[in-house]
Amino acid sequence: MIGVALPGLVISTEQGQLNGSGLEGFYRAGRRLLSRCRLRVAGREPLPNQARMTGADGSRFVGTLRTASAPGPDPDVMIERIRHADGTERITLRSWAAGPLRLPVEVALGTDLADLGAIAAGGAGPDLPATVHDSGLRWSRATGSASVTAHPPPAEALASAGLLRWEFVLPPGGSTSVELRVRPDGAGPVRAVGRTAADPLASAHATGDDPAVSALLRTSVEDLRALLVRDPAHPTDVHPAAGVPWRCGPAPAEALAAARMTLPLGTRLAAGTLRALARTQRPGPGPRAGMIPGPGRDTGPHLPPGCTGTEATLLFPVLLAEARRWGLGAHEARELLPAAERCLAWLRTTVGNGTYVPDPHPRGPVRCETQAHAHRAALLGAELLDDFGRPGGDWLRQWAQRLRTAFRRDFWIDDPAGGRPAAARSPDGRLVPRLSAAAVHLLDTGLLGGGTVAPGLLDPVRTGRLARLLGNPVMDSGWGLRGLAATEAGYNPFGHRAGAVHVHETAIAVAGLAATGHDKEADSLLRGVLAAADAFGHRLPEMFAGEQRADTNAPLPHPAACRPAATAAAAGVLMLTALVGIRPDAPAGTVTLRPVRSAPLGELGLTGLRVAQKPFSVRVSRLGLAMVEEAADGLQLGA
């Protein structure tokens, strides 16, 4: 159970006690401030009764206790613990005894002040010695210090044992509380970005025939808010961390992808993310000038690791162009335009006199999804340049046309079943014929002006074949899209890129299939993810096992998955808005709706979205007809 309000984080088990095992504890900025917090009342630990998340940032644990005064098996004391990622825990005792109860209470505390990475690698180390400090205890090491203060102050604080003790007398029906506050030395409480005026996300809501849509959208927005972090050097710029507990630091490709999927919630997150990443661009001259650096990414058993920096560099102008369509102001867009131009200049330099975007590694493969990212960047980037009267758009369009022609010739594998796209081409021209979820990026072509969808690398016939492949049970697990087809060599349902379901890629597939009219396949994947979301309490993890769905099983968590994760949370927003098919062009003052005609979830209403920087609400009927219920003055419904 993970509560998040970055830079604060708290990890608990359903038992409620913090025992210092594994990753348990309170964290701030990646350092564990408190690892143990064991409660005893009247000399015994409460019996765990219920544990649940109260939101993205907190959890509630309820336990019971039967004292010696209880005449039968019924408990006469209830203990509630409300634990928050901001570093607070409130312990409340309620008595249902017939007479007054004298209840000694003690809390055993301890910490190693270890970094999260060291804990994950098994190098946490022993608990540190405590000292009595203020109304609690304090621990210190060379890298920093932390303390726990209590209100009301304890009657006794024992540093050697790490104990705080109280003694309360509760009347019948009475209650009392203790609040513990965990802080690094010199630091105040966590001020989560998502709970301040800097929150860049609109408070959207979903209603409809399927009750799952409301919970999914609410939880998605809460999790995204919990993952927001500030650029340390420019605190007004906010962007999402990749996920917790493993990836709280910068992840450019994931941040851009999450910001893009959440454009229906406003453009402020996109603007902050773009500004923060523009400051990381590599300077020139040189072949990497204009590139946004990013770490490598495992791409499965058949290809070497990929470069997320390439993906981020190609996604940057796409996000800026689409944010402009959703309502990003001309002034903000113009300030970001030079960084987008540098990304597009990198693309042109990298392609050179060739056709394809090569792998950054020497003798690396030419990857299918990289060409899809590059083609989309070229078309949307060209329109962005045209809108601001900048040169370069003609070359980008001409190259994109050459790429389309070559890709359809060089990357398609013909077979009796209708063929498939190759995953990559090796340097000697051989095709890598693996069917993986990376192919969904061929369906993600991007939004142009006037609410039109950009052309893709595949023609309609090949797009239809890809849709059928994605809808086949070898790819569709029933819970979402497998990372690798179950029939491929090296398939592993837990494989990070070898069979596990990635929620982000499934959402891209749902949106792409819906946009191209392949409702049946989109419906199946969508329903699968909604069922998985229900099993995960609507907080979708970054990935989970690609085991085949059956009536008697549930999706299996992946032990290395982030939960919550920015792209998984943003995927919930993308899937629901894709059913409505919102295609805005704020500079032109229009919005076009292309809802999924099959209305897979019945009636669906979305309120509190943002188009042209104003509230936007829309409803889709059970017949698949869309109606705008709220929009900016002067915004016209396009044909």
Side-chain angles (χ1 to χ4, degrees):
M1 299 180 68
I2 300 178
V4 191
L6 292 181
L9 174 68
V10 61
I11 303 176
S12 316
T13 72
E14 292 186 342
Q15 301 304 305
Q17 301 278 37
L18 294 181
N19 298 306
S21 302
L23 297 175
E24 291 178 47
F26 284 90
Y27 294 79
R28 176 83 70 94
R31 182 177 298 279
R32 181 156 65 181
L33 305 182
L34 189 70
S35 57
R36 286 191 302 112
C37 184
R38 295 181 62 91
L39 172 69
R40 291 172 65 88
V41 178
R44 288 180 292 149
E45 293 191 9
L47 180 69
N49 183 271
Q50 184 186 75
R52 66 179 182 87
M53 300 297 297
T54 58
D57 60 348
S59 48
R60 177 179 184 260
F61 305 92
V62 176
T64 55
L65 195 72
R66 187 169 69 88
T67 67
S69 64
D74 299 335
D76 53 352
V77 176
M78 186 180 82
I79 300 97
E80 176 189 66
R81 303 173 74 170
I82 303 293
R83 187 172 292 157
H84 281 278
D86 65 1
T88 61
E89 176 164 338
R90 189 170 185 83
I91 302 168
T92 301
L93 288 74
R94 293 184 173 88
S95 171
W96 309 115
L101 278 183
R102 183 176 297 275
L103 294 176
V105 174
E106 67 178 30
V107 178
L109 304 170
T111 188
D112 47 23
L113 292 179
D115 288 331
L116 179 59
I119 298 166
D127 277 2
L128 298 169
T131 58
V132 176
H133 174 75
D134 196 7
S135 58
L137 299 175
R138 181 176 183 267
W139 301 264
S140 182
R141 61 186 305 177
T143 53
S145 302
S147 61
V148 174
T149 57
H151 182 78
E156 190 175 15
L158 301 177
S160 59
L163 281 177
L164 303 182
R165 289 175 173 166
W166 298 261
E167 187 162 307
F168 299 107
V169 176
L170 299 186
S175 66
T176 190
S177 295
V178 170
E179 183 171 276
L180 305 176
R181 300 173 184 172
V182 186
R183 302 279 190 269
D185 275 9
V190 170
R191 289 177 56 83
V193 175
R195 292 184 177 272
T196 68
D199 177 14
L201 300 173
S203 297
H205 300 279
T207 58
D209 292 339
D210 191 328
V213 300
S214 175
L216 178 61
L217 185 58
R218 182 184 66 252
T219 306
S220 295
V221 175
E222 286 180 354
D223 284 347
L224 284 164
R225 284 179 171 146
L227 291 169
L228 296 178
V229 293
R230 300 177 188 271
D231 185 324
H234 298 81
T236 58
D237 290 340
V238 174
H239 58 89
V244 296
W246 313 113
R247 303 175 67 206
C248 298
E254 283 83 352
L256 290 165
R260 183 175 176 230
M261 289 189 285
T262 55
L263 282 172
L265 303 180
T267 61
R268 290 176 59 196
L269 181 60
T273 302
L274 290 167
R275 283 193 293 267
L277 293 180
R279 291 188 280 270
T280 72
Q281 270 187 310
R282 294 185 185 275
R288 295 192 175 187
M291 191 176 189
I292 297 172
R297 175 190 288 154
D298 175 42
T299 52
H302 307 295
L303 292 171
C307 176
T308 61
T310 298
E311 182 181 339
T313 306
L314 296 171
L315 189 50
F316 188 103
V318 169
L319 177 57
L320 180 57
E322 290 191 330
R324 184 83 178 102
R325 299 294 162 213
W326 281 90
L328 183 68
H331 177 70
E332 282 188 286
R334 189 174 289 108
E335 287 183 335
L336 289 161
L337 186 60
E341 288 184 289
R342 290 191 289 271
C343 291
L344 296 171
W346 171 87
L347 171 60
R348 185 167 183 167
T349 300
T350 302
V351 171
N353 296 323
T355 302
Y356 297 114
V357 177
D359 198 78
H361 303 288
R363 303 293 296 168
V366 176
R367 301 172 192 265
C368 169
E369 68 270 25
T370 300
Q371 311 318 307
H373 295 320
H375 182 260
R376 182 182 61 214
L379 291 180
L380 273 64
E383 196 166 84
L384 182 67
L385 296 176
D386 290 352
D387 286 349
F388 287 93
R390 300 292 296 162
D394 289 342
W395 183 91
L396 290 168
R397 289 190 187 89
Q398 291 166 10
W399 173 74
Q401 177 61 59
R402 293 199 308 273
L403 178 61
R404 281 198 297 277
T405 301
F407 188 91
R408 294 171 187 180
R409 179 189 65 234
D410 298 341
F411 268 80
W412 192 260
I413 303 171
D414 288 312
D415 60 36
R420 66 171 64 180
R425 286 176 64 89
S426 63
D428 60 6
R430 289 182 296 110
L431 297 179
V432 181
R434 306 302 178 194
L435 179 60
S436 73
V440 303
H441 296 287
L442 294 168
L443 301 174
D444 181 13
T445 61
L447 181 66
L448 297 175
T452 59
V453 174
L457 287 175
L458 300 181
D459 57 34
V461 173
R462 289 182 173 91
T463 298
R465 172 57 181 162
L466 177 58
R468 291 190 293 275
L469 288 169
L470 298 178
N472 190 290
V474 302
M475 286 297 292
D476 183 355
S477 70
W479 303 113
L481 195 68
R482 292 186 176 94
L484 184 69
T487 51
E488 296 285 1
Y491 167 75
N492 172 3
F494 283 98
H496 186 79
R497 295 283 170 179
V501 173
H502 280 255
V503 176
H504 169 212
E505 290 175 333
T506 303
I508 290 175
V510 169
L513 292 166
T516 53
H518 297 283
D519 293 4
K520 178 183 176 183
E521 292 82 2
D523 292 0
S524 177
L525 290 172
L526 173 65
R527 291 182 180 277
V529 175
L530 285 176
D534 185 65
F536 286 112
H538 303 288
R539 172 182 268 185
L540 283 163
E542 172 189 17
M543 59 181 171
F544 50 88
E547 289 260 289
Q548 190 64 41
R549 181 179 176 182
D551 292 338
T552 56
N553 68 359
L556 296 173
H558 192 291
C562 288
R563 179 171 177 261
T567 53
V573 179
L574 175 62
M575 286 186 290
L576 294 180
T577 54
L579 295 182
V580 182
I582 307 169
R583 300 177 187 174
D585 187 352
T590 64
V591 61
T592 303
L593 302 179
R594 292 287 185 270
V596 177
R597 293 298 184 183
S598 60
L601 303 181
E603 184 174 292
L604 172 66
L606 298 174
T607 60
L609 304 177
R610 304 283 291 186
V611 174
Q613 302 185 23
K614 298 293 183 182
F616 184 84
S617 301
V618 63
R619 184 168 300 277
V620 178
S621 73
R622 298 180 184 91
L623 300 176
L625 302 175
M627 180 177 65
V628 175
E629 296 185 331
E630 183 181 22
D633 291 341
L635 190 66
Q636 300 295 314
L637 189 62

